[in-house]
Amino acid sequence: MNKAKLIVFEGIDGCGKSTQIARLAESMRAMGRSVCVSAEPTETETGKMLRAALSGNVRRTACEMAALFTLDRIVHNTGENGIEKNLEKGVDMLSDRYYYSSLAYQGSLCDYDWVKEMNVKCPDIRRPDLCVFLDIPPKEALARIGKRGEAKEIYEKEETLTLFRSTFLRVFETLGDRVAIVDASGTPDEVADRVLAAVKEILD
């Protein structure tokens, strides 16, 4: 049996994570692998609290958000249908966002070292086998967000996305995790080919 992998997708808002995760899941299943797709915030009570704050309906400090995301991530790992249970069953996990987002977003707005310690030193938060970072210029990301016709979240501004993108890149340099920085410009098919090529390098 192939060893199951935890692959997480990161990127600024509008980079195309949802589309590319779905494409990768389809490709991996065609290769005979079992795949489960998840996302942060989760659908748990903690995740609902985070979604309310991200929408702007509830005001929370950056420190509150960082702590809530860490708690939600623990649940994501240890819950009944969470990361650990699926990996034990031989099911690959694809996650839309992980602790890199906490480091880039909340780590830009409050104490970075504190956010990092909470996540990378927590025994209930697994280190991924691969982080796929979909890299796109903030202006292009905002144009994509605008085409959705949905209400913007609190972080969806050009100056904020520019800050978060630069912080993501610094985070990758300091953590030592395996990261594939993938050009997210171009058609969905072109990006999907780049993502699959990066993922194939870690598959058994």
Side-chain angles (χ1 to χ4, degrees):
M1 181 185 294
N2 292 330
K3 183 182 177 185
K5 306 293 186 184
L6 170 59
I7 301 169
V8 303
F9 278 70
E10 292 283 14
I12 59 175
D13 298 274
C15 68
K17 287 185 286 75
S18 299
T19 298
Q20 293 306 322
I21 289 174
R23 294 288 187 96
L24 179 62
E26 184 180 346
S27 295
M28 291 176 70
R29 288 175 182 133
M31 295 164 62
R33 301 182 73 97
S34 298
V35 180
C36 178
V37 175
S38 63
E40 294 183 358
T42 66
E43 296 298 327
T44 65
E45 288 304 310
T46 317
K48 291 174 185 175
M49 293 169 68
L50 284 163
R51 291 179 197 281
L54 289 168
S55 68
N57 291 332
V58 176
R59 294 190 67 180
R60 293 191 181 277
T61 68
C63 285
E64 283 182 290
M65 294 291 283
L68 281 171
F69 268 114
T70 303
L71 177 57
D72 195 49
R73 194 159 295 123
I74 291 170
V75 174
H76 188 193
N77 272 267
T78 62
E80 191 54 41
N81 193 38
I83 291 169
E84 292 299 336
K85 292 283 177 66
N86 276 290
L87 294 179
E88 286 171 8
K89 293 186 291 186
V91 177
D92 294 311
M93 287 294 298
L94 306 183
S95 178
D96 184 341
R97 297 207 179 280
Y98 206 55
Y99 56 65
Y100 309 95
S101 285
S102 287
L103 294 170
Y105 283 58
Q106 288 76 50
S108 296
L109 303 171
C110 64
D111 188 286
Y112 176 84
D113 290 333
W114 173 67
V115 178
K116 179 180 175 182
E117 291 282 308
M118 277 199 301
N119 283 274
V120 301
K121 291 198 173 180
C122 177
D124 284 337
I125 296 178
R126 175 184 281 262
R127 303 290 281 262
D129 294 287
L130 178 67
C131 170
V132 176
F133 180 71
L134 298 176
D135 194 21
I136 188 172
K139 281 188 178 180
E140 187 174 340
L142 284 170
R144 291 183 181 182
I145 292 168
K147 290 178 182 177
R148 296 177 190 162
E150 301 172 356
K152 288 187 178 180
E153 291 189 345
I154 57 174
Y155 298 134
E156 291 174 350
K157 302 171 187 174
E158 185 175 349
E159 61 272 23
T160 311
L161 294 182
T162 300
L163 170 64
F164 292 157
R165 178 183 176 275
S166 64
T167 309
F168 264 122
L169 297 176
R170 286 202 306 273
V171 166
F172 298 145
E173 289 176 1
T174 61
L175 281 185
D177 291 0
R178 182 161 186 165
V179 178
I181 297 176
V182 175
D183 180 3
S185 300
T187 67
D189 285 344
E190 289 170 339
V191 180
D193 287 344
R194 295 172 198 145
V195 170
L196 184 58
V199 169
K200 280 182 174 178
E201 293 187 10
I202 68 158
L203 298 182
D204 299 328

